[in-house]
Amino acid sequence: MIIVLKADMEIDAPEVERLVELAESYPGVRTELHQIQGATRSLSELYLLGSTGVIPTEPFEEFSCVERVVRITEKFRSIGRHGGGLEAVGFEYNGIHIAQDTFHVFPGLCAVDNRENLEAMFRLLREHGIQTARAGAYKPRTSPYDFQGLGAECLPFVFESAGKNDIRIISMEVTHESHVDEILEALRIAGNPTGVMIQIGTRNAQNFELLKSVGQQTELPVLFKRGMGITLEESLNACEYVASGGNRRIVFCLRGMKTNLGDPHRNFVDFAHVPVVKRLTRLPVCIDPSHSVGSRAVAPDGLLDVFHVTAQGVIAGANMVLVDFHPKPGEALCDGPQALLVEELARFLEDAKIVREAYEARLRRVAISSTG
Ligand code: PEP
Ligand code: MN
Protein backbone atom coordinates (compact mmCIF):
# COMPACT_ATOMS: atom_id res chain seq x y z
CA MET A 1 0.00 0.00 0.00
CA ILE A 2 1.27 3.51 -0.80
CA ILE A 3 0.10 6.58 1.10
CA VAL A 4 0.63 9.78 -0.88
CA LEU A 5 1.11 12.79 1.38
CA LYS A 6 -0.20 16.23 0.50
CA ALA A 7 2.14 18.33 -1.66
CA ASP A 8 5.16 19.84 0.08
CA MET A 9 4.27 18.11 3.37
CA GLU A 10 7.18 18.10 5.86
CA ILE A 11 8.03 14.46 6.49
CA ASP A 12 9.04 15.10 10.12
CA ALA A 13 5.66 16.70 10.99
CA PRO A 14 4.03 15.11 14.11
CA GLU A 15 1.01 14.02 12.05
CA VAL A 16 3.26 12.04 9.69
CA GLU A 17 4.88 10.40 12.72
CA ARG A 18 1.44 9.32 13.96
CA LEU A 19 0.65 7.96 10.49
CA VAL A 20 3.83 5.85 10.54
CA GLU A 21 2.99 4.62 14.06
CA LEU A 22 -0.49 3.54 12.97
CA ALA A 23 0.90 1.72 9.91
CA GLU A 24 3.53 -0.12 11.95
CA SER A 25 0.97 -1.11 14.58
CA TYR A 26 -0.41 -3.68 12.11
CA PRO A 27 1.36 -7.05 12.51
CA GLY A 28 4.02 -7.82 9.90
CA VAL A 29 3.98 -4.32 8.42
CA ARG A 30 7.01 -2.07 8.05
CA THR A 31 7.23 1.34 6.39
CA GLU A 32 9.55 3.26 4.09
CA LEU A 33 9.22 6.99 3.52
CA HIS A 34 10.24 8.23 0.07
CA GLN A 35 10.60 11.79 -1.14
CA ILE A 36 10.45 12.35 -4.87
CA GLN A 37 11.75 15.67 -6.12
CA GLY A 38 9.60 16.49 -9.13
CA ALA A 39 10.32 19.43 -11.42
CA THR A 40 7.94 21.80 -9.67
CA ARG A 41 7.25 20.25 -6.28
CA SER A 42 8.34 17.52 -3.95
CA LEU A 43 6.15 14.53 -3.31
CA SER A 44 6.34 12.33 -0.22
CA GLU A 45 5.04 8.80 -0.15
CA LEU A 46 4.83 6.32 2.69
CA TYR A 47 5.22 2.71 1.53
CA LEU A 48 3.59 0.04 3.70
CA LEU A 49 5.38 -3.24 3.11
CA GLY A 50 4.56 -6.76 4.26
CA SER A 51 1.11 -8.20 4.85
CA THR A 52 -0.92 -5.16 3.84
CA GLY A 53 -3.69 -6.99 1.97
CA VAL A 54 -6.01 -7.02 4.99
CA ILE A 55 -5.31 -3.47 6.19
CA PRO A 56 -8.22 -1.07 5.63
CA THR A 57 -7.48 2.21 3.83
CA GLU A 58 -10.04 4.36 5.71
CA PRO A 59 -8.07 4.99 8.95
CA PHE A 60 -5.22 6.43 6.84
CA GLU A 61 -7.49 8.50 4.61
CA GLU A 62 -8.75 10.36 7.69
CA PHE A 63 -5.35 11.99 8.32
CA SER A 64 -5.30 15.57 7.07
CA CYS A 65 -1.72 15.13 5.77
CA VAL A 66 -2.85 12.35 3.42
CA GLU A 67 -3.80 13.05 -0.17
CA ARG A 68 -4.54 9.49 -1.30
CA VAL A 69 -4.12 5.84 -0.36
CA VAL A 70 -3.26 3.52 -3.24
CA ARG A 71 -3.25 -0.26 -3.20
CA ILE A 72 -0.26 -1.78 -4.98
CA THR A 73 -1.43 -3.76 -7.99
CA GLU A 74 1.88 -4.19 -9.83
CA LYS A 75 4.98 -6.02 -8.65
CA PHE A 76 7.11 -3.09 -9.81
CA ARG A 77 5.81 -0.99 -6.96
CA SER A 78 8.06 2.11 -7.05
CA ILE A 79 7.85 2.78 -10.77
CA GLY A 80 4.26 1.53 -11.20
CA ARG A 81 1.14 3.65 -11.55
CA HIS A 82 -1.02 0.97 -9.87
CA GLY A 83 -4.12 1.40 -11.98
CA GLY A 84 -3.61 5.13 -12.36
CA GLY A 85 -3.58 5.82 -8.62
CA LEU A 86 -0.14 7.43 -8.76
CA GLU A 87 0.90 10.37 -10.88
CA ALA A 88 3.99 10.62 -13.05
CA VAL A 89 6.38 13.11 -11.48
CA GLY A 90 9.44 13.34 -13.71
CA PHE A 91 12.63 15.07 -12.61
CA GLU A 92 14.95 17.96 -13.25
CA TYR A 93 18.63 17.27 -13.86
CA ASN A 94 21.30 19.86 -14.65
CA GLY A 95 18.66 22.35 -15.76
CA ILE A 96 16.77 19.92 -18.02
CA HIS A 97 13.25 18.83 -17.08
CA ILE A 98 12.36 15.28 -18.12
CA ALA A 99 8.85 13.96 -17.51
CA GLN A 100 5.95 12.23 -19.23
CA ASP A 101 4.95 15.53 -20.85
CA THR A 102 8.33 16.86 -22.04
CA PHE A 103 10.28 16.15 -25.22
CA HIS A 104 14.05 16.04 -25.84
CA VAL A 105 16.23 14.62 -28.60
CA PHE A 106 19.63 13.14 -27.60
CA PRO A 107 21.67 12.76 -30.82
CA GLY A 108 25.31 11.71 -30.76
CA LEU A 109 28.01 9.11 -31.17
CA CYS A 110 27.27 5.49 -30.48
CA ALA A 111 30.91 5.27 -29.42
CA VAL A 112 33.47 8.03 -28.96
CA ASP A 113 36.27 7.26 -31.44
CA ASN A 114 38.42 10.38 -31.40
CA ARG A 115 38.42 13.91 -30.04
CA GLU A 116 37.99 15.55 -33.41
CA ASN A 117 34.77 13.70 -34.29
CA LEU A 118 33.39 14.18 -30.79
CA GLU A 119 34.00 17.93 -30.92
CA ALA A 120 32.49 18.20 -34.40
CA MET A 121 29.41 16.34 -33.12
CA PHE A 122 28.93 18.60 -30.07
CA ARG A 123 29.52 21.75 -32.18
CA LEU A 124 26.80 20.68 -34.63
CA LEU A 125 24.38 20.00 -31.80
CA ARG A 126 25.10 23.43 -30.39
CA GLU A 127 24.36 25.01 -33.80
CA HIS A 128 20.95 23.33 -33.60
CA GLY A 129 20.35 24.52 -30.04
CA ILE A 130 20.48 20.96 -28.67
CA GLN A 131 21.71 20.56 -25.08
CA THR A 132 21.27 16.80 -24.73
CA ALA A 133 23.50 14.20 -26.40
CA ARG A 134 24.69 10.64 -26.44
CA ALA A 135 28.35 9.56 -26.33
CA GLY A 136 29.45 6.02 -25.54
CA ALA A 137 32.72 5.32 -23.73
CA TYR A 138 32.12 1.74 -22.55
CA LYS A 139 30.71 -0.46 -25.30
CA PRO A 140 29.22 -3.93 -24.77
CA ARG A 141 30.08 -5.64 -28.07
CA THR A 142 28.90 -8.96 -29.40
CA SER A 143 32.47 -9.96 -30.25
CA PRO A 144 35.42 -9.50 -27.85
CA TYR A 145 37.56 -8.60 -30.88
CA ASP A 146 35.45 -5.55 -31.76
CA PHE A 147 36.21 -2.03 -30.51
CA GLN A 148 35.24 -1.94 -26.82
CA GLY A 149 35.11 1.86 -26.42
CA LEU A 150 37.81 4.24 -25.24
CA GLY A 151 36.68 3.88 -21.62
CA ALA A 152 37.81 6.25 -18.86
CA GLU A 153 40.57 7.62 -21.08
CA CYS A 154 38.14 9.70 -23.17
CA LEU A 155 36.07 11.08 -20.29
CA PRO A 156 38.19 14.23 -19.65
CA PHE A 157 37.89 15.47 -23.24
CA VAL A 158 34.27 14.35 -23.59
CA PHE A 159 33.22 16.36 -20.52
CA GLU A 160 35.39 19.36 -21.38
CA SER A 161 34.06 19.57 -24.92
CA ALA A 162 30.45 19.03 -23.77
CA GLY A 163 30.80 21.91 -21.31
CA LYS A 164 32.25 24.21 -24.01
CA ASN A 165 29.30 23.45 -26.24
CA ASP A 166 26.69 23.92 -23.52
CA ILE A 167 25.62 20.27 -23.47
CA ARG A 168 23.73 19.69 -20.20
CA ILE A 169 23.24 15.91 -20.28
CA ILE A 170 25.16 13.11 -22.01
CA SER A 171 23.59 9.66 -22.10
CA MET A 172 26.47 7.24 -21.51
CA GLU A 173 26.28 3.48 -21.09
CA VAL A 174 28.04 1.70 -18.24
CA THR A 175 28.67 -2.04 -18.22
CA HIS A 176 30.21 -2.30 -14.75
CA GLU A 177 29.57 -0.47 -11.50
CA SER A 178 33.16 0.84 -11.44
CA HIS A 179 32.31 2.89 -14.56
CA VAL A 180 29.91 5.01 -12.50
CA ASP A 181 32.74 5.90 -10.12
CA GLU A 182 35.04 6.69 -13.05
CA ILE A 183 32.39 8.99 -14.54
CA LEU A 184 31.71 10.76 -11.23
CA GLU A 185 35.43 11.22 -10.64
CA ALA A 186 36.05 12.58 -14.16
CA LEU A 187 33.09 14.96 -13.84
CA ARG A 188 34.42 16.20 -10.51
CA ILE A 189 37.97 16.74 -11.82
CA ALA A 190 36.58 18.61 -14.85
CA GLY A 191 34.50 20.83 -12.53
CA ASN A 192 31.12 19.34 -13.53
CA PRO A 193 30.88 21.16 -16.89
CA THR A 194 28.05 18.83 -17.98
CA GLY A 195 25.84 16.05 -16.61
CA VAL A 196 25.62 12.32 -17.32
CA MET A 197 22.62 10.04 -17.56
CA ILE A 198 23.79 6.50 -16.86
CA GLN A 199 22.61 4.20 -19.63
CA ILE A 200 21.89 0.55 -18.91
CA GLY A 201 22.06 -1.29 -22.22
CA THR A 202 19.64 -3.94 -23.36
CA ARG A 203 22.26 -6.65 -22.77
CA ASN A 204 22.45 -5.69 -19.11
CA ALA A 205 18.71 -5.25 -18.60
CA GLN A 206 18.73 -8.17 -16.15
CA ASN A 207 22.20 -7.68 -14.68
CA PHE A 208 20.68 -7.27 -11.25
CA GLU A 209 23.89 -6.41 -9.38
CA LEU A 210 24.61 -3.60 -11.86
CA LEU A 211 21.00 -2.38 -11.58
CA LYS A 212 21.22 -2.36 -7.79
CA SER A 213 24.44 -0.36 -7.81
CA VAL A 214 23.22 2.32 -10.25
CA GLY A 215 20.03 2.48 -8.18
CA GLN A 216 21.91 3.01 -4.95
CA GLN A 217 23.62 6.15 -6.22
CA THR A 218 21.36 9.14 -6.60
CA GLU A 219 23.72 11.66 -8.20
CA LEU A 220 23.12 10.56 -11.78
CA PRO A 221 19.78 9.71 -13.44
CA VAL A 222 19.43 6.41 -15.26
CA LEU A 223 18.26 5.52 -18.77
CA PHE A 224 17.11 1.91 -18.57
CA LYS A 225 16.87 0.08 -21.91
CA ARG A 226 14.27 -2.63 -22.27
CA GLY A 227 15.69 -6.15 -22.51
CA MET A 228 15.60 -7.25 -26.15
CA GLY A 229 14.55 -10.85 -25.49
CA ILE A 230 12.37 -10.72 -22.39
CA THR A 231 8.79 -9.67 -21.76
CA LEU A 232 7.84 -6.09 -20.99
CA GLU A 233 6.78 -7.22 -17.51
CA GLU A 234 10.25 -8.69 -16.92
CA SER A 235 11.90 -5.46 -18.09
CA LEU A 236 9.69 -3.39 -15.79
CA ASN A 237 10.59 -5.62 -12.84
CA ALA A 238 14.27 -5.28 -13.75
CA CYS A 239 13.90 -1.50 -13.93
CA GLU A 240 12.35 -1.64 -10.45
CA TYR A 241 15.76 -2.81 -9.15
CA VAL A 242 17.06 0.68 -9.94
CA ALA A 243 14.14 2.45 -8.26
CA SER A 244 14.14 0.16 -5.22
CA GLY A 245 17.77 1.10 -4.57
CA GLY A 246 16.62 4.68 -4.00
CA ASN A 247 17.19 6.34 -7.39
CA ARG A 248 13.85 7.44 -8.83
CA ARG A 249 15.26 9.56 -11.65
CA ILE A 250 14.76 6.92 -14.34
CA VAL A 251 13.77 7.02 -18.01
CA PHE A 252 12.54 3.79 -19.65
CA CYS A 253 13.84 3.29 -23.19
CA LEU A 254 12.29 1.18 -25.96
CA ARG A 255 14.87 0.00 -28.52
CA GLY A 256 13.26 -2.84 -30.43
CA MET A 257 13.07 -6.58 -29.78
CA LYS A 258 15.29 -9.34 -31.09
CA THR A 259 13.31 -11.57 -33.44
CA ASN A 260 13.73 -12.48 -37.10
CA LEU A 261 10.14 -11.37 -37.59
CA GLY A 262 11.51 -7.82 -37.47
CA ASP A 263 13.77 -8.34 -40.50
CA PRO A 264 15.01 -6.40 -42.39
CA HIS A 265 15.25 -4.03 -39.42
CA ARG A 266 17.93 -4.90 -36.87
CA ASN A 267 15.24 -5.29 -34.20
CA PHE A 268 11.46 -5.44 -34.26
CA VAL A 269 10.30 -1.89 -33.54
CA ASP A 270 8.24 -1.78 -30.35
CA PHE A 271 7.26 1.89 -30.21
CA ALA A 272 3.56 1.00 -29.98
CA HIS A 273 4.48 0.37 -26.34
CA VAL A 274 5.19 4.07 -25.63
CA PRO A 275 1.66 4.73 -24.29
CA VAL A 276 1.64 1.34 -22.57
CA VAL A 277 4.76 2.12 -20.53
CA LYS A 278 3.39 5.59 -19.74
CA ARG A 279 0.17 4.01 -18.49
CA LEU A 280 1.85 1.26 -16.45
CA THR A 281 4.64 3.37 -14.96
CA ARG A 282 5.38 6.86 -13.75
CA LEU A 283 8.48 7.03 -15.93
CA PRO A 284 9.21 9.22 -18.94
CA VAL A 285 9.67 7.06 -22.04
CA CYS A 286 12.55 7.20 -24.54
CA ILE A 287 12.77 5.59 -27.97
CA ASP A 288 15.97 4.57 -29.74
CA PRO A 289 15.25 4.41 -33.49
CA SER A 290 18.91 3.75 -34.42
CA HIS A 291 19.36 0.48 -32.54
CA SER A 292 15.85 -0.55 -33.62
CA VAL A 293 16.35 -0.03 -37.35
CA GLY A 294 20.10 -0.50 -37.62
CA SER A 295 20.61 1.12 -41.03
CA ARG A 296 20.20 4.31 -43.04
CA ALA A 297 17.72 2.64 -45.39
CA VAL A 298 15.46 5.08 -47.22
CA ALA A 299 11.77 4.46 -47.97
CA PRO A 300 10.40 5.20 -51.48
CA ASP A 301 8.90 8.44 -50.13
CA GLY A 302 12.42 9.74 -49.48
CA LEU A 303 12.33 9.52 -45.68
CA LEU A 304 14.76 7.24 -43.83
CA ASP A 305 13.25 4.28 -41.93
CA VAL A 306 14.88 5.87 -38.85
CA PHE A 307 12.71 8.98 -39.44
CA HIS A 308 9.59 6.86 -39.89
CA VAL A 309 9.99 4.81 -36.72
CA THR A 310 10.90 7.93 -34.75
CA ALA A 311 7.64 9.45 -35.94
CA GLN A 312 5.78 6.36 -34.71
CA GLY A 313 7.20 6.80 -31.21
CA VAL A 314 6.84 10.58 -31.09
CA ILE A 315 3.24 10.62 -32.36
CA ALA A 316 2.50 8.20 -29.50
CA GLY A 317 3.97 10.59 -26.89
CA ALA A 318 7.64 9.57 -26.49
CA ASN A 319 9.51 11.95 -24.18
CA MET A 320 13.03 11.36 -25.38
CA VAL A 321 14.72 10.20 -28.59
CA LEU A 322 18.19 8.67 -28.45
CA VAL A 323 19.63 8.68 -31.96
CA ASP A 324 23.02 7.82 -33.46
CA PHE A 325 24.58 10.72 -35.35
CA HIS A 326 28.18 10.91 -36.57
CA PRO A 327 29.91 13.73 -38.46
CA LYS A 328 31.93 11.09 -40.39
CA PRO A 329 30.12 7.73 -40.12
CA GLY A 330 32.81 6.12 -42.30
CA GLU A 331 35.24 6.64 -39.41
CA ALA A 332 32.86 5.30 -36.73
CA LEU A 333 34.22 2.30 -34.83
CA CYS A 334 30.75 1.12 -33.86
CA ASP A 335 27.36 1.28 -35.61
CA GLY A 336 28.46 3.70 -38.38
CA PRO A 337 25.91 2.28 -40.89
CA GLN A 338 22.97 3.43 -38.74
CA ALA A 339 24.28 6.88 -37.78
CA LEU A 340 22.61 9.96 -39.27
CA LEU A 341 24.82 12.10 -41.51
CA VAL A 342 25.39 15.80 -40.90
CA GLU A 343 22.94 16.77 -43.63
CA GLU A 344 20.36 14.36 -42.21
CA LEU A 345 20.48 15.71 -38.66
CA ALA A 346 18.72 19.00 -39.44
CA ARG A 347 15.97 17.19 -41.35
CA PHE A 348 15.63 14.64 -38.56
CA LEU A 349 15.18 17.34 -35.91
CA GLU A 350 12.68 19.17 -38.08
CA ASP A 351 10.74 15.98 -38.76
CA ALA A 352 10.63 15.08 -35.05
CA LYS A 353 9.37 18.61 -34.29
CA ILE A 354 6.57 18.32 -36.86
CA VAL A 355 5.46 15.03 -35.32
CA ARG A 356 5.71 16.30 -31.74
CA GLU A 357 3.48 19.24 -32.72
CA ALA A 358 1.00 16.82 -34.25
CA TYR A 359 1.01 14.83 -30.98
CA GLU A 360 0.36 18.02 -29.00
CA ALA A 361 -2.50 18.91 -31.36
CA ARG A 362 -3.97 15.43 -30.74
CA LEU A 363 -3.76 16.05 -26.99
CA ARG A 364 -5.61 19.35 -27.36
CA ARG A 365 -8.42 17.53 -29.19
CA VAL A 366 -8.70 15.04 -26.30
CA ALA A 367 -8.79 17.90 -23.76
CA ILE A 368 -11.56 19.68 -25.73
CA SER A 369 -13.69 16.54 -26.08
CA SER A 370 -13.32 15.63 -22.38
CA THR A 371 -14.33 19.13 -21.17
CA GLY A 372 -16.97 19.79 -23.82
C1 PEP B 1 23.66 1.88 -27.37
O1 PEP B 1 22.71 2.68 -27.20
O2 PEP B 1 24.81 2.24 -27.64
C2 PEP B 1 23.39 0.44 -27.32
C3 PEP B 1 24.37 -0.46 -27.27
O3 PEP B 1 22.08 0.14 -27.32
P1 PEP B 1 21.32 -1.20 -26.88
O4 PEP B 1 21.76 -1.50 -25.48
O5 PEP B 1 19.88 -0.81 -26.98
O6 PEP B 1 21.72 -2.25 -27.88
MN1 MN C 1 25.34 1.26 -30.92
Side-chain angles (χ1 to χ4, degrees):
M1 189 186 278
I2 299 177
I3 302 178
V4 183
L5 302 185
K6 289 212 171 116
D8 298 319
M9 188 73 210
E10 296 292 338
I11 54 170
D12 46 9
E15 215 201 342
V16 178
E17 269 173 41
R18 283 199 296 280
L19 188 71
V20 173
E21 268 169 35
L22 172 66
E24 292 186 346
S25 71
Y26 288 94
V29 171
R30 61 184 180 87
T31 60
E32 271 177 22
L33 200 49
H34 289 280
Q35 260 199 319
I36 306 172
Q37 190 54 54
T40 52
R41 65 187 180 100
S42 81
L43 193 71
S44 304
E45 294 174 350
L46 183 68
Y47 282 60
L48 272 56
L49 310 172
S51 1
T52 59
V54 292
I55 303 181
T57 55
E58 293 78 9
F60 299 103
E61 282 158 353
E62 279 164 16
F63 279 74
S64 65
C65 62
V66 170
E67 185 178 295
R68 208 169 328 129
V69 181
V70 177
R71 283 216 184 270
I72 293 176
T73 56
E74 318 280 10
K75 231 177 166 181
F76 39 93
R77 63 179 185 227
S78 313
I79 63 169
R81 286 253 204 181
H82 308 293
L86 296 176
E87 60 181 302
V89 278
F91 59 86
E92 178 119 6
Y93 173 60
N94 210 21
I96 306 279
H97 176 200
I98 301 184
Q100 280 199 352
D101 57 0
T102 61
F103 182 63
H104 296 281
V105 182
F106 284 56
L109 305 181
C110 174
V112 178
D113 38 48
N114 63 53
R115 189 175 184 139
E116 201 186 7
N117 287 337
L118 176 93
E119 286 182 348
M121 183 272 287
F122 281 147
R123 264 199 314 275
L124 280 155
L125 296 192
R126 182 184 205 156
E127 282 168 24
H128 288 291
I130 302 268
Q131 293 185 301
T132 46
R134 59 163 292 148
Y138 309 95
K139 300 305 300 176
R141 303 304 300 279
T142 303
S143 163
Y145 306 114
D146 287 339
F147 174 62
Q148 303 286 309
L150 295 178
E153 170 198 323
C154 69
L155 300 180
F157 72 79
V158 171
F159 296 155
E160 185 207 314
S161 175
K164 272 195 205 139
N165 288 289
D166 209 17
I167 299 294
R168 313 307 299 262
I169 309 181
I170 304 170
S171 181
M172 181 177 278
E173 179 164 358
V174 300
T175 56
H176 190 273
E177 59 180 275
S178 61
H179 300 157
V180 178
D181 297 331
E182 289 176 4
I183 290 170
L184 285 171
E185 176 71 354
L187 278 174
R188 193 186 55 75
I189 292 171
N192 293 303
T194 187
V196 170
M197 183 182 282
I198 295 293
Q199 188 174 316
I200 297 293
T202 193
R203 291 159 189 81
N204 279 310
Q206 283 187 311
N207 181 342
F208 300 120
E209 296 309 314
L210 180 63
L211 297 174
K212 280 187 214 165
S213 68
V214 297
Q216 279 157 9
Q217 63 81 38
T218 48
E219 260 177 271
L220 307 177
V222 175
L223 180 80
F224 174 90
K225 284 192 153 191
R226 175 184 194 167
M228 61 175 138
I230 56 176
T231 64
L232 180 61
E233 171 96 11
E234 285 166 331
S235 281
L236 294 173
N237 279 309
C239 187
E240 178 75 16
Y241 271 88
V242 180
S244 66
N247 192 344
R248 299 293 172 89
R249 297 194 291 177
I250 307 170
V251 178
F252 190 92
C253 182
L254 299 170
R255 48 81 68 207
M257 304 298 294
K258 197 163 188 72
T259 155
N260 289 345
L261 298 176
D263 291 349
H265 288 162
R266 181 174 174 181
N267 286 287
F268 196 75
V269 181
D270 55 350
F271 299 166
H273 285 176
V274 169
V276 177
V277 178
K278 287 173 91 172
R279 179 169 66 245
L280 290 175
T281 79
R282 320 169 81 179
L283 307 179
V285 179
C286 176
I287 53 166
D288 178 342
S290 306
H291 290 83
S292 299
V293 169
S295 77
R296 264 195 308 271
V298 184
D301 58 16
L303 293 163
L304 273 72
D305 287 11
V306 167
F307 285 38
H308 277 298
V309 302
T310 301
Q312 290 168 11
V314 175
I315 199 77
N319 306 110
M320 197 178 137
V321 180
L322 193 69
V323 64
D324 287 7
F325 156 64
H326 199 295
K328 293 183 187 160
E331 290 182 10
L333 298 174
C334 180
D335 287 347
Q338 70 193 25
L340 296 179
L341 310 173
V342 172
E343 58 273 26
E344 287 163 346
L345 179 69
R347 280 193 280 123
F348 178 83
L349 295 172
E350 193 187 6
D351 201 50
K353 186 163 176 276
I354 292 170
V355 185
R356 174 69 188 181
E357 283 166 5
Y359 168 69
E360 287 170 357
R362 294 171 73 208
L363 288 191
R364 285 193 294 275
R365 301 292 299 184
V366 179
I368 291 167
S369 56
S370 63
T371 54

